[in-house]
Amino acid sequence: MDGDLRLAFGAVEAAAEVAVGYFGAGVAATLKADGTPVTEADRAVERLLRETLSAARPGDAFLGEELGELGESDRVWILDPIDGTRFFSERDPNWRIQIALEVRGITELAVVASPALGRCWWATRGGGAFESSWPRAETRRLGVSTAASPENAVLVALDNDPGARLPSARPPWSPLPLIELVHGEIDAFLVERYYKWDHAPWILIVEEAGGRFTNPTGGNSGDQGGGLYSNAALHDNLLATLHYPLRP
């Protein structure tokens, strides 16, 4: 994965320059057919990511939020050019460029960069999960908490129906609770929505930080509308509370 990881970082660095230019100038968002926002920057960044990656790996396929699927291959780059488009269009720095590489259905590497915040997170399968400043320096390894008792754990849930899903969970206090999870600051995060490009990189980062992810079908793929991220000690207990896998 070393060559692919270097390629991923290079693609993200080039894309970050384009994205920061749009961010500094300001750009308006419009709504797509599914009701989610998009800007000119989203499309420009995804085009650049695809061009950079395909120039180095011409046989690889793509799945991107803005430009869809392209090609057929055992190797698929999953792209979210601007994760947090609403933040981006409002000149809020809490947006990210996210990419992951899936090989024969298994996510092997992930890179998430937040240029406006000056942070980056990445992981390779079996190689650990890391955080650094952006551009990369001051690297540290990430690790989830070891809390084992749900009663004393910090549980966070997005759109949690009171008493229906995780009764003791609170709403998120930050734009991306998964960063808090891999820092060991919270113990679990339930998010039962969004798309594969939103989840794919974070599933690997959380797993390589010692945590686990399970979607509502009981698997660990990111294409089932989200699921439960938590540390390993709590995971099975919380799955029982959620009654995963959910019946159709």
Side-chain angles (χ1 to χ4, degrees):
M1 284 293 107
D2 286 351
D4 287 324
L5 185 61
R6 286 194 297 272
L7 173 61
F9 274 122
V12 171
E13 287 167 4
E17 290 187 19
V18 172
V20 168
Y22 278 101
F23 183 67
V27 62
T30 58
L31 294 182
K32 295 183 287 190
D34 64 0
T36 60
V38 65
T39 71
E40 182 182 351
D42 292 79
R43 299 187 181 101
V45 169
E46 184 165 330
R47 282 195 295 268
L48 179 58
L49 288 171
R50 288 174 182 246
E51 290 167 2
T52 304
L53 295 168
S54 63
R57 303 286 189 271
D60 289 2
F62 294 91
L63 170 65
E65 178 174 8
E66 308 307 336
L67 303 179
E69 296 182 72
L70 177 66
E72 293 186 8
S73 173
D74 288 340
R75 292 167 46 94
V76 182
W77 293 94
I78 302 167
L79 310 176
D80 191 345
I82 306 287
D83 185 62
T85 296
R86 180 177 61 81
F87 291 127
F88 188 92
S89 66
E90 294 174 355
R91 309 292 284 276
D92 183 316
N94 285 288
W95 53 272
R96 296 155 299 278
I97 299 170
Q98 303 191 164
I99 72 175
L101 174 61
E102 188 175 274
V103 181
R104 292 183 289 277
I106 304 296
T107 303
E108 296 290 350
L109 70 80
V111 176
V112 177
S114 182
L117 292 177
R119 307 305 296 169
C120 179
W121 304 268
W122 75 94
T124 57
R125 184 160 299 280
F130 301 88
E131 178 182 29
S132 73
S133 58
W134 180 264
R136 286 171 293 141
E138 304 170 9
T139 298
R140 67 157 170 158
R141 190 156 187 158
L142 296 167
V144 298
S145 71
T146 57
S149 170
E151 292 75 19
N152 300 320
V154 180
L155 311 180
V156 175
L158 189 66
D159 300 333
N160 193 33
D161 294 333
R165 308 300 293 139
L166 290 179
S168 57
R170 63 162 171 81
W173 290 351
S174 73
L176 192 62
L178 288 169
I179 295 173
E180 296 176 271
L181 181 65
V182 295
H183 285 174
E185 296 165 359
I186 66 173
D187 305 303
F189 177 45
L190 176 66
V191 50
E192 295 178 312
R193 59 167 156 142
Y194 299 127
Y195 300 94
K196 185 171 184 175
W197 44 80
D198 297 297
H199 291 285
W202 286 107
I203 293 170
L204 182 61
I205 291 170
V206 168
E207 289 177 343
E208 287 297 321
R212 292 174 59 190
F213 171 80
T214 301
N215 65 39
T217 70
N220 74 333
S221 65
D223 57 359
Q224 299 297 317
L228 174 70
Y229 296 85
S230 79
N231 71 25
L234 283 170
H235 202 75
D236 288 336
N237 188 303
L238 296 178
L239 290 179
T241 300
L242 292 167
H243 303 294
Y244 277 13
L246 299 177
R247 294 179 180 178

